[in-house]
Amino acid sequence: MKVNDNGIYIDGIDKKILRALMEDARTPILEIARHVGISGAAIHQRLKKLEKSGLLAGSKFIINPKVLGYTTMAFVGVYLDKAISNPEAVKQLQKIPEVIECHYTTGNWSIFIKILTKDNEHLMHVLNSEIQSIKGVSRTETFISLQQQINRQIKI
């Protein structure tokens, strides 16, 4: 399978390794090696090749925000006065810890952000006191997520 224009190829063994690690990045290399039928050293070599190619962007632990009391997820379309305001607005949005994603988009909004707050009152505070006070933000449009129904990576 050709992955990109840089000529990186992944074969069936690479796919098995990647699927195992995507399922649980803490899976021991030797366990994957036994499952795949090659040595642990070969798994390490293949992972180094995949890292060097840029296919692997890292691994991380995923924190359950609900355990910390963050239960309200919202998506916010941010309208800017001028496109030139974008870099400064993004710089200000980076200072707001509740903003967990920020995308420059086509369509109605200049910026589309994902916010995680403890409740609706907290969301209202972040919107009114922090986001809408950013210079260049003319208005926002908010969509509260009732339930995340799909959460996955791209299929390998």
Side-chain angles (χ1 to χ4, degrees), residues 135-154:
K135 186 178 179 195
V137 171
S138 60
R139 64 187 177 102
T140 59
E141 189 172 348
T142 304
F143 305 89
I144 295 175
S145 172
L146 299 176
Q147 180 183 43
Q148 182 176 0
Q149 297 183 309
I150 298 174
N151 182 14
R152 63 180 173 209
Q153 294 190 62
I154 196 75

Side-chain angles (χ1 to χ4, degrees), residues 8 13-14 17 29 33 38-53 56:
I8 176 71
I13 292 173
D14 290 332
I17 295 166
I29 295 298
I38 62 175
S39 71
I43 299 281
H44 279 290
Q45 289 173 342
R46 285 174 176 265
L47 286 172
K48 284 206 181 297
K49 174 192 79 169
L50 294 170
E51 283 179 40
K52 190 175 178 183
S53 75
L56 299 179

Side-chain angles (χ1 to χ4, degrees), residues 33-90:
R34 280 191 295 276
H35 174 72
V36 174
I38 62 175
S39 71
I43 299 281
H44 279 290
Q45 289 173 342
R46 285 174 176 265
L47 286 172
K48 284 206 181 297
K49 174 192 79 169
L50 294 170
E51 283 179 40
K52 190 175 178 183
S53 75
L55 179 65
L56 299 179
S59 61
K60 59 186 173 184
F61 286 99
I62 300 168
I63 293 178
N64 180 350
K66 289 180 182 172
V67 172
L68 297 174
Y70 288 84
T71 60
T72 301
M73 174 83 62
F75 298 89
V76 181
V78 180
Y79 295 84
L80 298 176
D81 293 334
K82 301 173 185 144
I84 199 160
S85 304
N86 186 357
E88 186 55 36
V90 171

